[in-house]
Amino acid sequence: MIAARFSRIGFILAAAGSAVGLGNIWKFPYITGENGGGAFVLIYLMAITFIGLSIFIAEVAMGRLSRSDAVSAYESLAPKPGPWKFAGFTLLTGILILTYYPIVIGWVFKYIWVAATHLPTTVEASGAAFGEMLTQDASGQIFYFTLAFLCTFLIVSMGVKKGIEKLNLVLMPLLVIILLLLFCYAITLDGFDDALKFLFVADFSKVRATSVMEAVGHAFFTLSLGMCCIMTYSASLPENANIVRSSFTVAVLDTAIALVAGIIIFSLIFSFNAEPGQGPGLLFISLPPLFAQLGMAGTLGATLFFVAVAFAGVTSCISIVEPGVLYLTNRLNWSRPLALLAIGGVAYSLGLLALLSNIEHTGDSLKLFGMGAFDLFDFTSSSILLPLGGILVAVFVGYVMEKQKLEHLLLPYMHPRLFHCWYFSIRYLAPAGVVAMMINKLAA
Ligand code: TRP
């Protein structure tokens, strides 16, 4: 049983803080770029609505009903003892995400400094600087990666209420304000209309074979599903929270912020006639030169922008640590510092491997299945393990748990018809969507 409880707004902001992260501002725009824009956005929105939101509510229900760590949640909610408790170990996917996520936060930290002191003035110079950092500068990246790691673990060490809730109460509103300011600026840019067209006009000829899988995978990733993260936060839900409305609010906030970030970034891209499909470097290469054109105001704007991205990243990163910590402290009675040390130790070591796999002279020896460790960890977690975690939640809630428990919990907040839709979705749509995604992946 968990003693610490979020306040109502604290839960929404913490869950939104978890959901809104590098996935929204860094990953969503670049995978949208790679997958041709509007059609991909449409597939993604459908994946969020029909699959993501249902599983989100399912995870919230499991956390709220069990008020316990993920392994105990599966165990206590299963009608009879059995192997279901092992499904809780999908929280281990978090360790894999923790290997590369803080590396990217590290890049963002570095770019706060770059923005404040020496913004590159051309796209070419910017691309070269980013490439240099990524493939040559091991020590610099290790420094910022370590910093990101320490920030994350320091906050989690302060606990759910004093660390996680407090941080989100401050950083989330700041993040929204900064993005709105940048959005207003984007409206004034030449590329704004093209950005809207790119994001909202669907051209299915541009969709690749793997696009559907990527959209579903990202829907999981961006809502922080599939590794018991939302389940873990929901164990600390206040007694009287409207869990359906909270889930809906989080999904809407998350989607809105991804789209706003996409509009901002693609407005810049199209104003520069740059390529939208450049992959992971999009954020770090395309934005700095534009800010550089604006003199002092640009320096300030760029600094603020990367500060906002860092906020988004850190609030997400802490949520990836918490499921493991709760398992170790709640279930195995470890102390919080020991739990943090164990999780941190493993993730940090693997993270160094991931980081070095991008460095030119160490990268070749750190390849597996033809992929660098960084790409491999990213691919395995977001394209395979998270969906797998999601399907386990769906099958467990849809077929194993007693329906009565769910009705008792959800009907006060949901019209019975909506409950039926949700139940249908969790039993059929969500698992089918994930299976289709896997087939799609195998065929690709
Ligand atoms: N949702 C976050 C993002 O979009 C990342 C994240 C946080 C996450 N917690 C998670 C992803 C749990 C998967 C599972 O950046």
Side-chain angles (χ1 to χ4, degrees), residues 15-28 44 59 93-94 97 100-101 217-230 233 254 312-313 315-321 323 381-382 386:
S18 168
V20 176
L22 300 173
N24 300 60
I25 309 180
W26 168 64
K27 202 166 179 178
F28 172 74
Y44 167 77
E59 276 205 27
T93 307
I97 302 177
Y100 65 87
Y101 205 84
H218 189 63
F220 277 98
F221 188 84
T222 194
L223 288 178
S224 303
L225 299 172
M227 56 147 286
C228 312
C229 196
I230 296 305
Y233 271 8
D254 181 73
T315 54
S316 295
C317 205
I318 56 181
S319 76
I320 303 173
V321 184
S381 54
S382 40
L386 292 178

Side-chain angles (χ1 to χ4, degrees), residues 4-191:
R5 297 270 161 92
F6 285 114
S7 67
R8 256 193 280 183
I9 182 73
F11 172 78
I12 292 179
L13 288 184
S18 168
V20 176
L22 300 173
N24 300 60
I25 309 180
W26 168 64
K27 202 166 179 178
F28 172 74
Y30 93 69
I31 58 174
T32 300
E34 284 180 331
N35 287 284
F40 178 79
V41 173
L42 199 67
I43 299 173
Y44 167 77
L45 290 178
M46 286 172 32
I48 290 272
T49 314
F50 295 110
I51 301 178
L53 190 56
S54 319
I55 297 182
F56 192 97
I57 294 176
E59 276 205 27
V60 171
M62 285 181 68
R64 173 66 183 75
L65 284 172
S66 70
R67 288 228 177 272
S68 200
D69 65 275
V71 177
S72 311
Y74 272 104
E75 196 175 47
S76 66
L77 295 173
K80 46 181 192 291
W84 268 106
K85 69 174 171 197
F86 296 111
F89 286 106
T90 44
L91 63 81
L92 286 172
T93 307
I95 297 204
L96 214 53
I97 302 177
L98 274 179
T99 62
Y100 65 87
Y101 205 84
I103 296 179
V104 184
I105 300 179
W107 300 346
V108 176
F109 281 178
K110 174 174 170 153
Y111 268 71
I112 295 175
W113 181 71
V114 170
T117 57
H118 56 282
L119 279 172
T121 49
T122 63
V123 179
E124 290 74 27
S126 183
F130 181 75
E132 219 230 63
M133 176 195 76
L134 184 69
T135 60
Q136 316 283 338
D137 185 13
S139 55
Q141 279 192 83
I142 291 175
F143 171 76
Y144 288 108
F145 166 63
T146 309
L147 201 65
F149 226 87
L150 289 178
C151 286
T152 303
F153 279 74
L154 187 75
I155 294 151
V156 180
S157 76
M158 295 194 266
V160 163
K161 198 80 198 153
K162 290 203 188 107
I164 297 177
E165 169 161 334
K166 256 209 185 125
L167 185 86
N168 279 296
L169 280 178
V170 179
L171 295 195
M172 289 309 287
L174 281 178
L175 171 71
V176 170
I177 292 171
I178 296 175
L179 286 179
L180 285 181
L181 285 175
L182 288 163
F183 180 76
C184 292
Y185 173 63
I187 296 177
T188 68
L189 295 175
D190 293 342

Side-chain angles (χ1 to χ4, degrees), residues 8-9 43 51 69 84 86 108 132 194 209 215 244 261 302-303 306 318 349 359 370 375 384 387 399 411 430 438 440:
R8 256 193 280 183
I9 182 73
I43 299 173
I51 301 178
D69 65 275
W84 268 106
F86 296 111
V108 176
E132 219 230 63
D194 287 337
V244 176
T303 312
F306 282 107
I318 56 181
S349 319
I359 299 289
D375 296 330
I384 301 173
Y399 295 93
L411 280 181
M438 296 280 183
N440 190 338

